[in-house]
Amino acid sequence: MASRKLAVILLAAGMGTRMKSALPKVMHPIAGRPMIHHLMDTVSGLDPDHVVVVVGPEMERITASVAPTPTVVQVERLGTGHAVAQARAALADFDGDVLVLYGDTPLITRATLERLLAERRGPRDPAVVVLGFRPDDPGQYGRLVVGAEGLKAIVEYREATDDQRKIPLCNSGVLAIDGKRLWSLIERIDNKNAKGEYYLTDVVALARADGACCAHVEGSPMELLGVNSRLEQAVAEDVVQRQLRDRAMEAGATLVAPETVCFSWDTKLGQDVTVWPHVVFGPGVTIGDNVEIKGFCHFEGCTVEDGAILGPFARLRPGAEIGEAAHIGNFVEVKKAVVETGAKINHLAYVGDARVGAGANVGAGTITCNYDGFNKSFTDIGKGAFIGSNTALVAPVTIGDGAVIGAGSVITKEVSPGSLAVARGSQMELKGWADRFRAQHHKTEG
């Protein structure tokens, strides 16, 4: 076909009442990002000329989230045909192919959409191509009635006969329409049906009445899963997590217990990374090569360079930058801090708003006191410095290169390079005091 132009109408006006949430349904996350963004990412791979998102009233959160993609508002929710009609002004005189997708169907693949468009652009020039699927339980899905001439009709479950309800081929709602014929078809949809709504599926019967042919292609039931409840959201999350785990292992990472590792949609793992059980990757994590991540770690918004060792029970918060061959150990939290090459923070420490110089060692129980109740301040720990256990570094403060801080110190002033700083009370001893104390108490008890 001569035309290869493409527009996408993405329907996202549903209230999502079964989610039981103040958050619009399509904004609920799958693998760390709103489900509608998964679909928009898939759509972007088709290089469309136009994308229009149809939202409902008071859904500004969706509008803000998808910007700069334009949105139109379906003020009254009168059915899918009515929803598509709201995009007419935004598409103006567009005459290419039009895909209609649903924001609560985040798992559909680009390959399936490409097959749908290939059929639409094929030699038969079908006016409408519908995406069908064969679920294990067809339930109350609409049915596709197919004959030798192609797709004959879409029958909604409520209007279907008993024989039609036995058809295993179901309607996903996703379709591709010839843009030159779209608005003529939409204008003629009526609401004379059991629900009193304007069904988009009626375009098939209308196109056939015009003498045009219609067609269908099939997708897998899993990729056409609609997310309408928290249970279905959990199913979709499981599908995406399995895909992300497989992708990580195919790219050269070892997941010791894959089913226990949770990824975000944008997690990046290098080659020869080993991830032990029960690790969670939030959004914005990049891990270099040859990194070992021990169990029960939680990372988000951070980068880790080659050869680092992390965990177990380490937490990296946004802004953490872990250098090459650095060690971040058990129950260590790092936030908005640079830990340079070979530095070690191995036990029970908090490092926030800080730099830990190359080769420095931060002892167990050390914290950077970065917040005074109003402001965050910076701690700078120099190259090769040694911070003794149970030290409090009260920011803003600088520890010079090679300096040593005695255990149990509270450091409030700059420590010059190569110096020893100790800030704690003097030790005192009263000989025999403990024996006398016990004897006195034993006498009292007697």
Side-chain angles (χ1 to χ4, degrees), residues 4-8 40-51 94 99 110 114 117 121:
R4 290 295 183 269
K5 294 185 293 184
L6 175 64
V8 178
M40 293 184 70
D41 189 50
T42 300
V43 164
S44 70
L46 301 172
D47 194 23
D49 299 278
H50 301 281
V51 179
F94 182 80
L99 270 178
R110 190 174 84 182
E114 287 172 341
L117 289 171
R121 294 164 176 170

Side-chain angles (χ1 to χ4, degrees), residues 106-392:
L107 305 183
I108 192 167
T109 64
R110 190 174 84 182
T112 294
L113 296 179
E114 287 172 341
R115 287 194 294 111
L116 193 68
L117 289 171
E119 182 68 25
R120 159 71 203 107
R121 294 164 176 170
R124 297 177 62 198
D125 188 24
V128 181
V129 182
V130 176
L131 182 58
F133 68 116
R134 299 175 186 269
D136 293 336
D137 178 12
Q140 297 192 16
Y141 286 110
R143 303 303 202 266
L144 302 188
V145 182
V146 179
E149 67 274 37
L151 178 63
K152 296 169 63 176
I154 303 176
V155 183
E156 295 295 335
Y157 183 84
R158 292 191 180 192
E159 280 79 36
T161 66
D162 288 341
D163 285 342
Q164 288 171 332
R165 289 178 178 180
K166 294 176 183 177
I167 296 173
L169 184 60
C170 295
N171 173 38
S172 72
V174 174
L175 46 79
I177 309 177
D178 179 4
K180 295 186 295 293
R181 298 181 255 201
L182 171 61
W183 303 120
S184 171
L185 297 172
I186 294 293
E187 287 171 353
R188 288 179 281 157
I189 296 174
D190 63 41
N191 64 347
K192 297 175 182 178
N193 51 61
K195 294 180 70 175
E197 293 185 353
Y198 296 88
Y199 292 150
L200 179 61
T201 50
D202 286 354
V203 296
V204 170
L206 292 168
R208 284 179 57 80
D210 291 343
C213 76
C214 296
H216 82 285
V217 298
E218 291 190 34
S220 73
M222 190 55 68
E223 70 176 308
L224 294 171
L225 172 71
V227 178
N228 296 293
S229 68
R230 308 281 185 159
L231 293 175
E232 290 172 342
Q233 181 184 2
V235 173
E237 182 74 36
D238 181 62
V239 171
V240 173
Q241 288 298 331
R242 283 188 275 118
Q243 293 172 347
L244 293 172
R245 292 165 190 150
D246 290 349
R247 192 180 306 164
M249 291 186 286
E250 288 167 359
T254 294
L255 307 184
V256 175
E259 68 282 1
T260 70
V261 178
C262 290
F263 284 95
S264 183
W265 66 277
D266 60 349
T267 304
K268 296 180 177 64
L269 300 186
Q271 291 186 342
D272 294 313
V273 171
T274 298
V275 182
W276 289 85
H278 301 288
V279 173
V280 176
F281 296 98
V285 177
T286 299
I287 307 293
D289 297 337
N290 299 296
V291 172
E292 182 176 10
I293 303 171
K294 299 179 182 180
F296 296 93
C297 291
H298 191 291
F299 304 152
E300 58 183 317
C302 61
T303 59
V304 179
E305 300 295 334
D306 298 352
I309 299 175
L310 310 166
F313 295 98
R315 184 182 183 196
L316 302 182
R317 291 170 56 194
E321 299 178 21
I322 310 304
E324 187 173 348
H327 290 194
I328 305 296
N330 50 295
F331 301 102
V332 171
E333 180 177 353
V334 180
K335 168 254 173 188
K336 198 178 179 181
V338 176
V339 180
E340 296 182 349
T341 300
K344 296 180 180 181
I345 314 172
N346 274 328
H347 314 286
L348 302 156
Y350 170 69
V351 175
D353 298 283
R355 176 186 76 98
V356 180
N361 186 91
V362 176
T366 293
I367 62 169
T368 57
C369 305
N370 56 325
Y371 184 52
D372 63 6
F374 297 94
N375 301 298
K376 297 289 181 69
S377 298
F378 189 76
T379 298
D380 190 83
I381 300 173
K383 176 181 178 181
F386 182 93
I387 311 300
S389 297
N390 203 34
T391 292

Side-chain angles (χ1 to χ4, degrees), residues 22-24 27 58-66:
L23 186 69
M27 292 298 294
E58 300 180 355
M59 288 187 170
E60 291 82 4
R61 293 182 71 167
I62 300 177
T63 298
S65 181
V66 303

